[in-house]
């Protein structure tokens, strides 16, 4: 029955072109802003900073690095926007009273949240993979550097875990929404906040230290840093080949390409574990809330 | 044999007692009508009987299973047609039937056989590739019924199934339901605002203010709460006064004199006595609407 509901949820998401397009809109708007305005500024800042240390960097390599950095940010928000769009099925099920039909059929209702989370995770993964392919092709064409297979594999793994975490995390607030209007308001707020929390537009180092520390505690930000650390590895080596290790560390810390809390660097497995724990907590909260609403039809 | 027995069923929402300890039973294979004005407690009762909501007290047995304890088993034996369509609007009819049918755990071939059967019963073959959202209200209702019949339920709950459909569609829906009921021996539990739909019921239960105010066959209830009228056409001008002088309840329109009578013997004697004073006559029985309005009004006055 999980398979049936899972399939149904995927069909409902992809049958709604508006929902699919809306999952991409914020991503491509952000990408356009970067390509047209912020990208060149970001490149210039890095080139000039290196120049002050008498290091000349190849602008194409820096551009490659910045594009990869942007891609990391994009891949951290797509699972959020796409998976929460997948969760919209639950709101519609309540609003259009479809839940009545499901509840009066011999479906064990504890299967419903599982199918919903799985479908939303897959939606998040598929949409993020699509963005990875589209933006990845642009980067390859612009930089002439293909992504190594292990990097692609690593990115897909992180995106999978991140999508699962986003689906679990968003499922809890979405389970309180009873109308699509309420749900849209929630989405607007979340979409607005997530770009800031994940430091998609500006490097985390620009922010005050307390804010940096707070954001770096959040697994969403850590997911961004994890993605950037994997995607930016090769371009960083190219740009910072003549720079001392401290210089590279400073860049990584400032740009959020490595996860640091206070003076401590956080290993990747800790981030993965942290994401898994958040997923579990919010999944339990969601399923408990869903079960509590037994009489809501 | 009773397929549903309800004993002292009660449900409150906070301080508001929506249903106050009602008891009734439904015979297997029958058409049962559960009627009442808005806010009477009908929906609360149906929601509980279809396992959607919990109830406060009482004992309900549906198809041999105790409500509240064996809901999963009950769900296998009931089908529900709601007032409002509850299928996925963006999916086609075929997809909706496959998905909802899959919830009953049939094998692929068995499910296909069942879908083919309900498609034939409800005559929706030409709609299978159409999206649910793009169909008319009448077409959607036929698909809703197909969905409710997919697992051949022992009891079919119809929650105001004719709401929002035209008279012709209503007629075809009822033909479809009655034929399936006869063929499968299915019990139909009906709530409706169209009283005439309840006239074929084996039993009617009427609820108001959360209590059963009466129950019986349509004939029993009509006899109890409605009067029979004799309409006399082509009468002589003095007849109306004469009837009134005799103490009969009579009135006049441009077309006929209307005399209210209850007993069959009185009507026969009356017609024989005055047969030379009118050209033709008609005996008009009380309608289900008359019965319902009279009963509910009496209840309102009593409160």
């Amino acid at each position: 029955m999980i398979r049936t509901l899972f399939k149904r949820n995927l069909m409902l998401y992809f049958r709604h072109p508006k929902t699919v397009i809306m999952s991409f809109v914020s991503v491509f708007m952000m990408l356009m802003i970067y390509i047209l305005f912020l990208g060149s500024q970001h490149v210039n800042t890095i080139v000039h900073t290196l120049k002050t240390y008498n290091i000349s960097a190849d602008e194409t390599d820096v551009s490659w690095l910045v594009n990869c950095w942007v891609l990391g940010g994009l891949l951290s928000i797509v699972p959020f926007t796409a998976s929460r769009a997948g969760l919209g099925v639950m709101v519609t099920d309540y609003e259009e009273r479809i839940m009545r039909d499901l509840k009066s059929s011999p479906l064990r209702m504890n299967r419903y949240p599982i199918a919903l989370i799985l479908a939303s995770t897959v939606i998040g993964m598929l949409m993020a993979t699509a963005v990875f392919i589209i933006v990845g092709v642009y980067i390859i064409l612009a930089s002439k550097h293909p992504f190594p297979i292990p990097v692609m594999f690593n990115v897909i793994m992180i995106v999978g875990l991140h999508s699962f975490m986003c689906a679990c995390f968003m499922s809890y607030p979405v389970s309180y929404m009873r109308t699509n209007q309420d749900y849209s308001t929630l989405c607007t707020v979340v979409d607005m906040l997530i770009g800031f929390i994940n430091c998609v537009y500006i490097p985390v180092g620009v922010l005050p230290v307390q804010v940096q520390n707070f954001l770096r505690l959040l697994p969403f930000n850590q997911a961004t840093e994890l993605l950037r650390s994997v995607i930016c590895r090769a371009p960083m080596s190219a740009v910072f080949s003549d720079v001392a290790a401290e210089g590279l560390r400073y860049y990584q810390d400032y740009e959020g390409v490595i996860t640091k809390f206070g003076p401590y660097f956080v290993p990747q497995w800790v981030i993965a574990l942290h994401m898994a724990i958040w997923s579990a907590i919010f999944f339990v909260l969601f399923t408990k809330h869903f079960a509590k609403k037994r009489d809501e039809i | 044999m009773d397929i549903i027995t309800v004993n002292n069923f009660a449900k409150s929402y906070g301080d508001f007692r929506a249903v106050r300890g009602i008891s009734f039973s439904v015979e297997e294979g029958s058409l049962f009508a559960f009627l009442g004005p808005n806010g009477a407690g009908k929906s609360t009762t149906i929601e509980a009987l279809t396992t959607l909501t919990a109830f406060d007290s009482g004992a309900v047995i549906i198809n041999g299973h105790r409500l509240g304890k064996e809901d999963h088993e009950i769900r296998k034996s009931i089908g529900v047609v709601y007032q409002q369509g509850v299928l996925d609007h963006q999916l086609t009819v075929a997809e909706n039937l496959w998905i909802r049918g899959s919830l009953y755990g049939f094998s692929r071939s068995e499910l296909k056989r069942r879908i083919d059967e309900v498609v034939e019963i409800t005559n929706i073959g030409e709609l299978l590739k159409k999206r649910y959202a793009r169909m008319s209200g009448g077409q959607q209702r036929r698909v809703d019924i197909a969905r409710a019949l997919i697992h051949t339920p022992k009891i079919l709950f119809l929650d105001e199934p004719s709401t929002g459909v035209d008279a012709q569609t209503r007629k075809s829906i009822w033909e479809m339901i009655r034929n399936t009921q006869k063929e499968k021996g299915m019990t139909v539990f009906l709530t409706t605002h169209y009283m005439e739909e309840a006239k074929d019921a084996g039993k009617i239960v009427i609820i108001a203010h959360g209590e059963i105010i009466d129950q019986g066959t349509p004939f029993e209830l009509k006899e109890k709460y409605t009067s029979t009228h004799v309409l006399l056409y082509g009468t002589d001008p003095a007849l109306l006064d004469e009837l009134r002088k005799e103490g009969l309840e009579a009135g006049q329109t441009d077309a006929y004199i209307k005399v209210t009578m209850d007993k069959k013997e009185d009507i026969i004697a009356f017609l024989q006595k005055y047969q030379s004073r009118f050209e033709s006559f008609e005996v008009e029985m009380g309608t289900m609407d008359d019965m319902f309005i009279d009963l509910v009004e009496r209840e309102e006055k009593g409160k």
Side-chain angles (χ1 to χ4, degrees):
Chain A
M1 290 199 192
I2 290 177
R3 211 171 71 174
T4 302
L5 288 177
F6 169 78
K7 204 172 142 192
R8 166 185 178 255
N9 292 349
L10 288 184
M11 284 164 89
L12 285 173
Y13 175 81
F14 287 106
R15 201 56 68 76
H16 228 294
K18 211 173 104 187
T19 318
V20 179
I21 291 165
M22 287 311 285
S23 306
F24 277 123
V25 164
S26 56
V27 171
F28 284 104
M29 272 173 61
M30 203 235 136
L31 188 65
M32 290 317 290
I33 290 169
Y34 239 92
I35 291 173
L36 295 173
F37 312 108
L38 297 178
S40 55
Q41 206 181 326
H42 203 152
V43 171
N44 288 340
T45 307
I46 294 172
V47 171
H48 281 109
T49 309
L50 288 173
K51 247 184 201 162
T52 55
Y53 293 97
N54 291 324
I55 299 162
S56 75
D58 180 350
E59 221 168 285
T60 317
D61 285 344
V62 177
S63 184
W64 175 31
L65 173 61
V66 169
N67 285 340
C68 285
W69 183 87
V70 172
L71 175 61
L74 290 179
L75 291 181
S76 77
I77 57 167
V78 178
F80 232 105
T81 54
S83 64
R84 66 116 175 92
L87 295 168
V89 171
M90 177 169 57
V91 181
T92 305
D93 282 350
Y94 277 110
E95 191 175 25
E96 290 179 0
R97 299 187 155 204
I98 292 166
M99 202 57 97
R100 283 170 170 247
D101 192 52
L102 299 176
K103 285 189 174 180
S104 65
S105 66
L107 162 73
R108 304 259 182 214
M109 282 314 283
N110 56 4
R111 309 287 202 275
Y112 184 92
I114 299 171
L116 190 73
I117 294 287
L118 288 178
S120 299
T121 302
V122 169
I123 289 167
M125 272 186 81
L126 289 174
M127 300 307 271
T129 306
V131 169
F132 184 46
I133 292 169
I134 296 166
V135 181
V137 166
Y138 167 77
I139 291 173
I140 292 167
L141 291 175
S143 68
K144 314 280 182 253
H145 291 286
F147 288 103
I149 301 287
V151 168
M152 290 198 276
F153 181 72
N154 231 326
V155 167
I156 300 295
M157 295 285 283
I158 299 167
V159 157
L161 178 60
H162 186 40
S163 299
F164 179 64
M165 183 184 67
C166 292
C168 291
F169 175 74
M170 284 305 294
S171 64
Y172 183 55
V174 170
S175 70
Y176 282 92
M177 304 296 125
R178 281 294 162 273
T179 64
N180 274 300
Q181 204 180 346
D182 297 344
Y183 169 68
S184 298
T185 310
L186 175 78
C187 293
T188 309
V189 173
V190 168
D191 289 0
M192 208 170 64
L193 283 176
I194 198 64
F196 169 72
I197 290 172
N198 284 9
C199 295
V200 175
Y201 304 98
I202 48 163
V204 68
V206 169
L207 303 168
V209 179
Q210 288 88 344
V211 179
Q212 281 187 44
N213 285 340
F214 171 70
L215 292 182
R216 285 180 143 166
L217 270 180
L218 300 174
F220 319 109
N221 189 287
Q222 291 172 359
T224 317
E225 294 182 332
L226 199 55
L227 280 162
R228 281 176 173 161
S229 69
V230 172
I231 298 170
C232 296
R233 197 172 297 148
M236 272 193 305
S237 304
V239 173
F240 294 96
S241 54
D242 298 333
V243 178
E246 298 81 51
L248 176 62
R249 281 282 176 189
Y250 174 79
Y251 169 82
Q252 287 174 320
D253 184 23
Y254 183 83
E255 298 271 343
V257 182
I258 195 158
T259 305
K260 202 178 153 199
F261 187 68
Y264 307 106
F265 289 98
V266 184
Q268 290 189 350
W269 70 267
V270 174
I271 298 171
L273 182 67
H274 188 205
M275 288 167 76
I277 291 169
W278 268 65
S279 306
I281 291 170
F282 279 92
F283 181 69
V284 169
L285 284 174
F286 167 49
T287 50
K288 282 204 175 292
H289 183 237
F290 184 80
K292 213 194 272 180
K293 298 182 309 176
R294 182 195 179 281
D295 272 8
E296 271 187 45
I297 44 172
Chain B
M1 194 188 146
D2 292 333
I3 196 160
I4 300 176
T5 53
V6 177
N7 275 311
N8 273 322
F9 170 85
K11 163 98 181 171
S12 298
Y13 296 101
D15 291 337
F16 175 65
R17 293 171 66 203
V19 184
R20 307 171 180 215
I22 61 171
S23 300
F24 62 87
S25 59
V26 180
E27 197 183 325
E28 187 168 4
S30 67
L31 169 60
F32 173 87
F34 191 61
L35 309 178
N38 289 334
K42 286 191 315 279
S43 297
T44 304
T45 308
I46 295 232
E47 281 166 7
L49 295 186
T50 53
T51 75
L52 293 177
T53 55
F55 56 102
D56 300 335
S57 60
V60 180
I61 306 291
I62 298 175
N63 194 31
H65 302 288
R66 199 178 178 88
L67 184 66
K69 302 263 184 226
E70 298 165 293
D71 288 359
H72 192 71
E73 292 307 312
I74 291 173
R75 287 177 192 133
K76 287 181 189 166
S77 59
I78 62 168
V80 191
V81 177
Y82 297 95
Q83 285 177 46
Q84 189 188 352
V86 287
L87 295 177
D88 291 311
H89 289 220
Q90 295 306 321
L91 302 185
T92 64
V93 171
E95 287 165 344
N96 266 304
L97 293 177
W98 266 104
I99 286 168
R100 303 302 165 94
S102 302
L103 302 176
Y104 294 85
F106 300 123
S107 66
R108 210 177 156 76
S109 57
E110 174 64 8
L111 183 56
K112 191 186 174 308
R113 186 192 67 73
R114 283 170 180 271
I115 289 174
D116 289 345
E117 189 185 27
V118 293
V119 165
E120 199 187 317
I121 290 170
T122 52
N123 194 23
I124 53 168
E126 80 283 9
L127 301 174
L128 283 173
K129 287 182 181 164
K130 232 177 164 180
R131 284 198 190 184
Y132 186 74
R134 293 184 187 157
M135 296 189 305
S136 69
Q139 289 174 328
Q140 285 186 344
R141 197 35 43 114
R142 274 154 63 196
V143 177
D144 294 340
I145 293 170
R147 182 266 169 267
L149 294 176
I150 211 160
H151 54 295
T152 324
K154 301 226 19 160
I155 307 160
L156 180 67
F157 286 89
L158 300 173
D159 188 5
E160 298 181 19
S162 310
T163 305
V165 296
D166 59 54
Q168 199 186 347
T169 310
R170 191 153 70 222
K171 187 168 171 270
S172 73
I173 284 173
W174 272 104
E175 275 172 10
M176 188 195 329
I177 291 169
R178 295 301 300 216
N179 289 340
T180 315
Q181 186 193 10
K182 271 182 212 155
E183 206 179 297
K184 310 271 179 192
M186 187 173 67
T187 307
V188 177
F189 188 115
L190 166 75
T191 68
T192 180
H193 280 302
Y194 297 98
M195 290 302 136
E196 289 307 307
E197 287 182 345
K199 75 177 191 303
D200 294 332
K203 184 178 178 182
I204 295 175
V205 164
I206 299 175
I207 182 172
H209 303 291
E211 290 170 336
I212 290 176
I213 54 175
D214 210 339
Q215 55 185 303
T217 63
F219 180 73
E220 286 165 353
L221 292 170
K222 276 204 295 188
E223 253 207 347
K224 211 162 157 187
Y225 297 103
T226 64
S227 300
T228 305
H229 304 289
V230 180
L231 310 183
L232 304 173
Y233 296 91
T235 56
D236 71 56
L239 184 60
L240 182 65
D241 288 340
E242 213 174 301
L243 294 174
R244 283 178 174 163
K245 274 178 198 162
E246 282 201 25
L248 291 167
E249 195 186 326
Q252 190 172 28
T253 68
D254 288 348
Y256 54 75
I257 288 176
K258 184 176 182 178
V259 187
T260 305
M261 296 190 149
D262 283 330
K263 290 181 184 159
K264 183 180 71 182
E265 300 77 19
D266 293 345
I267 293 169
I268 294 167
F270 169 82
L271 290 172
Q272 279 173 343
K273 184 177 175 184
Y274 292 99
Q275 60 180 306
S276 59
R277 311 283 301 274
F278 56 84
E279 287 171 12
S280 65
F281 72 96
E282 186 182 344
V283 178
E284 188 186 72
M285 302 287 286
T287 63
M288 292 295 290
D289 276 330
D290 295 336
M291 178 276 292
F292 182 74
I293 291 165
D294 186 67
L295 179 54
V296 172
E297 277 179 358
R298 282 186 201 204
E299 175 64 16
E300 295 291 334
K301 279 178 196 159
K303 286 274 164 190

